[in-house]
């Protein structure tokens, strides 16, 4: 058994606003519909309904959960759907309308067939939903309970959690055994992740898949930086990323120096505003925390990568710590981007892509530890599990592409997580907007600070990453359910919604 979770599960391309409340329930409903199709019993189904329990029942409407369930029942998948087809699938479901189950079977459905049961918590997980299909006589054709366990991952009741499985996988269970594995084989953390990914799929698919994840992240940053207006929901939150982009571009065109720290915040706001608007988002490792990794990676891509990569040992904000190590990707042939034939620009672009792959693989190896040994779900562990985990992953990824050692990477992740311990989840109105959007910008800057501190040290430190992960797990257990994505405490009850 290994803690490793594939990058292609941890970073899935989906829709906003929530991985646990939108993407997971959509996958559950799709799985339910597909099972009916595959068993041919779909022809007997006359009506469908769904009960949303616990946190899904408490904040489901704000997170678009019923819309996601209806979209999934229709056969839409988060990875491939048009996000606009999900947004109002339940909210604007017509009175007297019918639903085309898995695109093949027309069945009766009304908005009231989604039942909200926030006070009922199933023992399997705080995010649970039961989907039922009935025949003409009112007898049950099929009924399944699913748990949306965070990051868009689902588990069907009675099934074991899915884990990466291959005899060629490098198995590790915690940060200590990951570092020992690296020492034993002389590998970086990214290289361990690369070996594991290539045990699960072709090398070429790993490289192109990581590039596709980055392209989706970058497209989301770009979309958010160029979208104005007000976000959906009763809070009427104004989008700010585009305004800040305009201000920064104006300041820079006036001859002021570049403002990387301010761009970092704008990148994070951009992603989380896209997420809140139900746009195309990459879970990283959740939707609520989706802005941190793309923001930190984009910060490196735009402000640090070329100086370090193109010049080899050039002085960057990390000074002597950035060196020729960046030019190599641990000899991982298949993960090297093509050298490019368009001159310096193409070479720089290819080198940046290699860096991003390294960033994502390092973040994957670290994120797996949080998922296996604590949680990445706000409903299970509060915001420390979502934003804290994403911040630690980003800090480790940045440290890796800045030429940090494995122990510096582990140190950076530990610093980032340590200072999120105890962070509660209390979104106002159950919307992934306040405090979530700004919180991603703050966490992105914490990730950069954590990487800077770790890179200035030699990797030795007092608190281990494993101790922090275990502390996060215990704190999550002790945390009142009021602070775990129920909107029953904190900001959610102290700020008047208007
Ligand atoms: S407060 Fe944190 S955990 Fe809760 S929805 Fe917002 S980002 Fe997610």
């Amino acid at each position: 058994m290994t803690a490793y979770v594939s990058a292609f599960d941890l970073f899935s391309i989906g829709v906003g606003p929530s991985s646990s409340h939108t993407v997971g329930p959509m996958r559950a409903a799709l799985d339910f519909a597909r099972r009916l199709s595959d068993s041919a019993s779909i022809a007997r189904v006359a009506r469908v309904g769904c009960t949303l329990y616990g946190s899904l029942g408490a904040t489901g409407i704000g997170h678009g959960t019923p819309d996601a369930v209806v979209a999934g029942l229709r056969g839409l998948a988060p990875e491939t759907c048009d996000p606009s087809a999900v947004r109002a699938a339940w909210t604007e479901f017509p009175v007297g309308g019918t639903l085309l189950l898995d695109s093949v079977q027309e069945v009766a459905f009304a908005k009231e067939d989604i039942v909200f049961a926030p006070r009922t918590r199933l023992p399997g997980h705080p995010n649970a939903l039961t989907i039922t299909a009935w025949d003409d006589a009112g007898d049950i054709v099929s009924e399944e309970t699913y748990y949306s366990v965070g990051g868009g991952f689902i588990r069907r009741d009675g099934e074991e959690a899915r884990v990466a499985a291959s005899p060629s996988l490098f198995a590790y269970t915690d940060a200590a055994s990951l570092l020992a594995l690296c020492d034993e084989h002389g590998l970086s953390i990214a290289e361990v992740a690369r070996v594991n990914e290539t045990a699960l799929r072709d090398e070429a698919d790993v490289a192109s898949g990581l590039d596709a994840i980055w392209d989706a992240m970058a497209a989301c940053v770009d979309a958010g930086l160029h979208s104005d207006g007000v976000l959906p929901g009763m809070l009427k939150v104004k989008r700010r990323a585009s305004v800040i982009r305009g201000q920064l571009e104006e300041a820079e065109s006036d001859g002021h120096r570049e403002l990387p720290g301010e761009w970092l915040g704008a990148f994070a706001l951009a992603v989380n505003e896209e997420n809140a608007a139900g746009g195309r988002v990459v879970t990283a490792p959740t939707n609520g925390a989706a802005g941190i990794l793309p923001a930190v990676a984009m910060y490196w891509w735009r402000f640090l990568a070329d100086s370090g990569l193109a010049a080899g040992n050039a002085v960057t904000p990390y000074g002597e710590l950035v060196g020729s190590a960046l030019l190599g990707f641990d000899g991982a042939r298949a993960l090297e981007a093509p050298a490019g034939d368009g001159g310096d620009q193409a070479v720089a672009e290819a080198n940046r892509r290699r860096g991003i792959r390294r960033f994502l693989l390092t973040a994957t190896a670290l994120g797996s530890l949080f998922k296996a040994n604590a949680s990445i779900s706000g409903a299970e562990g509060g915001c420390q599990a979502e934003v804290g985990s994403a911040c630690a992953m980003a800090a480790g990824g940045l440290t890796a592409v800045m030429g940090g050692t494995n122990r510096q990477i582990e140190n950076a992740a530990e610093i980032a997580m340590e200072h999120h311990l105890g962070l509660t989840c209390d979104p106002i109105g159950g919307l992934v907007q306040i405090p979530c959007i700004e919180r991603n910008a703050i966490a992105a800057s914490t990730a950069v600070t954590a990487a800077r501190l770790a890179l200035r040290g030699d990797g030795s430190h007092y608190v281990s990453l494993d101790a922090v992960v275990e502390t996060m797990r215990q704190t999550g257990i002790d945390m009142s359910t009021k602070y775990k994505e129920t909107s029953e405490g904190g900001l959610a009850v102290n700020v008047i919604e208007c």
Side-chain angles (χ1 to χ4, degrees), residues 51-93:
T51 301
L52 302 173
Y53 298 105
S55 175
L56 294 183
T59 60
I61 290 182
H63 287 84
T65 309
D67 296 315
V69 168
V70 171
L73 288 171
R74 282 177 172 155
L76 300 183
E79 298 80 3
T80 51
C81 71
D82 174 357
S84 67
V86 180
R87 267 172 226 141
W90 173 82
T91 315
E92 294 176 10
F93 197 88

Side-chain angles (χ1 to χ4, degrees), residues 186-192 194 325-333 335-336 354 358 361-362 406:
L187 298 173
S188 71
I189 290 174
E191 185 63 0
V192 166
R194 184 193 70 82
L326 278 173
L327 289 167
F329 186 78
D330 310 315
R333 183 176 34 84
L335 290 183
E336 289 177 5
R354 291 163 65 194
R358 184 177 192 152
L361 288 171
T362 305
N406 290 332

Side-chain angles (χ1 to χ4, degrees), residues 6-9 194 196-206 209:
S6 168
F8 301 101
D9 291 324
R194 184 193 70 82
N196 281 357
E197 292 297 343
T198 52
L200 299 167
R201 51 183 60 75
D202 284 351
E203 288 194 349
D205 291 345
V206 174

Side-chain angles (χ1 to χ4, degrees), residues 63 286 288-289 378 382-383 386-387 424-427 431-432 435-436 439-440 485:
H63 287 84
T286 65
C383 199
E386 282 201 21
V387 164
T424 59
C425 169
D426 52 358
L431 298 168
V432 194
C436 321
R439 184 164 290 173
N440 275 253
E485 218 162 352

Side-chain angles (χ1 to χ4, degrees), residues 285-313:
T286 65
N287 279 31
I292 300 160
L293 277 123
V296 173
M298 185 62 84
Y299 169 82
W300 173 81
W301 175 287
R302 182 155 167 186
F303 299 109
L304 302 176
D306 285 349
S307 57
L309 286 167
N313 287 309

